[in-house]
């Protein structure tokens, strides 16, 4: 009995069989493993995925305003979602890593998986064109698209930050006006956002206190996501 | 003699003639003017443009690493570039604005033009598909693509911040290590970036001082661009 070809399970899971095996190998090669790595394909795949999802949402949710479409797309293409899809495709079994990266766990590993998903999609687009990659993406994202709630309002940064902290049982942030400068009709507010046990602070500046708080919360979300 | 149709000059400049005139009208309608405005088409067009430019760069600069492709793409699709293209297409003559927006000038006007360019591209994709919009985008961006310098290194955040400040004759930023936590092999550095006369500070956190400084500089660039 003949052994199953190397990528047979992956091709089945993707619903696409590569003609050029070198291409899928490159898409699954982290830069730590080889000079022919997947970063350029990831660049291409990220753009293709963003476009296919944008079109899908545009067509499927024809009465939903742009702000909600943007939020829905962000949910679908964020690293966390892509890492889940990479796991479901079992990409971890195929990705070639350098010896240093093999030991990395958790967050680092998720981001390698997410990048590989994008690179694989870029490679399919490169080899087979838009219609084929569209069919692959639609199938991979179908359940997630159907679960989206198009009516949910995009959450403002202060709300997002509060939920992020509550989910991790962290103390809530404090906002403090640091300075108000400028004439009455053109004031600039600088607000600091501080989280006690994170020893982190960020600032936001805007022409209203409310807006400066949102900017500071947004900067804090950025800092927390980088950690 | 018959009058030239309403959009004849624009169609000529675009190299594309809309079958459905309602679609180009919607693409040129700002939300201040009508309920049938261009924001959803802008969402679609932004994604289509990003993808077409990504593919163009991927194919044309086949030896250029991902970081440079990303930087090159950002130069091409940023609002400033799109506003220039909108001006060259004379879109200002066609855009429908509400009475409030008609008085707005400068920055606001540039961003309305840039959004309309994306919406028009989204509308072409919607009506005619990828190959047609690709041809339009390639022609609109041809000169700019050919002028790109693929060898320029993507600038790191500290360098970008320094250049941003120098261009505006502002004092240079100070970086200060706020805390170092964790065991030897897994330390976390928190670095604060501060600019004297901006009364602004941002923080970055990473597993090296150098990287934390870059994160703080990046957060500062974000704050400054918001102001």
């Amino acid at each position: 009995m003949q052994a199953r070809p190397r990528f047979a399970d992956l091709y089945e899971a993707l619903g696409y069989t590569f003609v050029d095996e070198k291409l899928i190998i490159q898409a699954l090669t982290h830069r730590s493993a080889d000079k022919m790595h997947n970063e350029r394909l990831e660049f291409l795949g990220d753009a293709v995925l963003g476009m296919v999802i944008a079109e899908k949402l545009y067509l499927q949710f024809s009465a939903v305003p742009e702000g909600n479409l943007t939020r829905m797309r962000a949910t679908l293409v964020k690293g966390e979602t892509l890492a889940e899809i990479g796991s479901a495709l079992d990409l971890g079994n195929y990705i070639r890593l350098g010896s240093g990266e093999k030991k990395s766990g958790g967050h680092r590993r998720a981001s390698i998986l997410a990048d590989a998903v994008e690179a694989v999609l870029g490679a399919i687009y490169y080899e087979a064109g838009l219609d084929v990659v569209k069919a692959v993406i639609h199938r991979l994202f179908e359940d997630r698209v159907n679960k989206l709630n198009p009516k949910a309002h995009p959450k403002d940064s202060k709300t997002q930050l509060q939920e992020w902290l509550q989910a991790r049982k962290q103390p809530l942030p404090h906002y403090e006006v640091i300075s108000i400068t400028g004439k009455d009709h053109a004031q600039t507010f600088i607000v600091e956002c501080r989280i006690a046990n994170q020893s982190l602070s960020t600032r936001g500046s805007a022409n209203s206190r409310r807006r400066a708080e949102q900017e500071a919360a947004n900067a804090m979300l950025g800092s927390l996501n980088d950690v």
Side-chain angles (χ1 to χ4, degrees), chain A residues 17-79:
Chain A
T17 299
F18 276 85
V19 176
D20 180 3
E21 198 174 78
K22 286 198 301 295
L23 202 56
I24 179 71
I25 291 173
Q26 182 173 355
L28 295 167
T29 301
H30 186 257
R31 65 172 296 146
S32 60
D34 196 293
K35 239 173 51 180
M36 285 294 283
H37 57 71
N38 65 5
E39 286 190 354
R40 281 172 42 89
L41 284 168
E42 180 203 336
F43 167 77
L44 182 62
D46 170 77
V48 169
L49 174 64
M51 198 276 255
V52 170
I53 295 289
E55 181 185 23
K56 175 81 178 147
L57 297 176
Y58 182 87
L59 297 173
Q60 185 161 336
F61 301 99
S62 58
V64 169
E66 176 274 332
N68 293 42
L69 296 178
T70 298
R71 177 185 53 74
M72 289 154 76
R73 183 168 72 152
T75 309
L76 294 172
V77 303
K78 69 182 176 186

Side-chain angles (χ1 to χ4, degrees), chain A residues 26 30 32 34 36 65 87 91 100 109 111 122 134 138 156 180 182 195:
Chain A
Q26 182 173 355
H30 186 257
S32 60
D34 196 293
M36 285 294 283
S87 284
L91 285 193
R109 196 182 144 69
S111 110
K134 211 186 261 193
H138 287 178
D156 64 83
I180 306 174
I195 300 171

Side-chain angles (χ1 to χ4, degrees), chain A residues 1-221:
Chain A
M1 210 173 91
Q2 224 184 327
R4 269 171 80 76
R6 179 168 172 195
F7 293 109
D9 292 339
L10 179 56
Y11 290 167
E12 209 172 295
L14 286 170
Y16 178 72
T17 299
F18 276 85
V19 176
D20 180 3
E21 198 174 78
K22 286 198 301 295
L23 202 56
I24 179 71
I25 291 173
Q26 182 173 355
L28 295 167
T29 301
H30 186 257
R31 65 172 296 146
S32 60
D34 196 293
K35 239 173 51 180
M36 285 294 283
H37 57 71
N38 65 5
E39 286 190 354
R40 281 172 42 89
L41 284 168
E42 180 203 336
F43 167 77
L44 182 62
D46 170 77
V48 169
L49 174 64
M51 198 276 255
V52 170
I53 295 289
E55 181 185 23
K56 175 81 178 147
L57 297 176
Y58 182 87
L59 297 173
Q60 185 161 336
F61 301 99
S62 58
V64 169
E66 176 274 332
N68 293 42
L69 296 178
T70 298
R71 177 185 53 74
M72 289 154 76
R73 183 168 72 152
T75 309
L76 294 172
V77 303
K78 69 182 176 186
E80 205 180 320
T81 308
L82 297 182
E84 286 169 18
I85 289 174
S87 284
L89 291 170
D90 221 0
L91 285 193
N93 275 338
Y94 300 95
I95 293 174
R96 296 166 62 210
L97 290 175
S99 51
E101 286 293 347
K102 281 188 186 143
K103 294 165 203 156
S104 68
H107 180 70
R108 188 85 198 97
R109 196 182 144 69
S111 110
I112 290 171
L113 271 178
D115 293 347
V117 170
E118 291 180 332
V120 168
L121 296 174
I124 296 175
Y125 175 73
Y126 181 80
E127 187 174 87
L130 184 62
D131 290 341
V132 172
V133 78
K134 211 186 261 193
V136 171
I137 292 171
H138 287 178
R139 192 152 17 72
L140 291 177
F141 285 82
E142 191 176 20
D143 290 346
R144 287 180 173 82
V145 170
N146 291 331
K147 271 186 214 149
L148 290 170
N149 174 7
K151 283 180 187 160
H153 287 286
K155 283 173 188 161
D156 64 83
S157 299
K158 282 180 71 177
T159 308
Q160 281 181 53
L161 176 58
Q162 183 174 330
E163 291 180 357
W164 195 98
L165 293 165
Q166 281 172 337
R168 285 158 186 80
K169 303 197 195 309
Q170 306 259 358
L172 295 184
H174 291 282
Y175 296 92
E176 188 189 341
V177 177
I178 300 293
S179 71
I180 306 174
T181 52
K183 298 266 171 67
D184 273 3
H185 62 285
Q187 289 186 318
T188 297
F189 292 77
I190 294 179
V191 167
E192 184 165 87
C193 171
R194 193 172 276 284
I195 300 171
N197 72 345
Q198 292 272 352
S199 63
L200 262 179
S201 74
T202 53
R203 293 189 182 190
S205 133
N207 55 8
S208 79
R209 177 181 175 155
R210 209 189 127 271
R211 182 111 188 92
E213 286 181 355
Q214 293 291 352
E215 292 292 339
N218 187 42
M220 180 60 79
L221 279 166

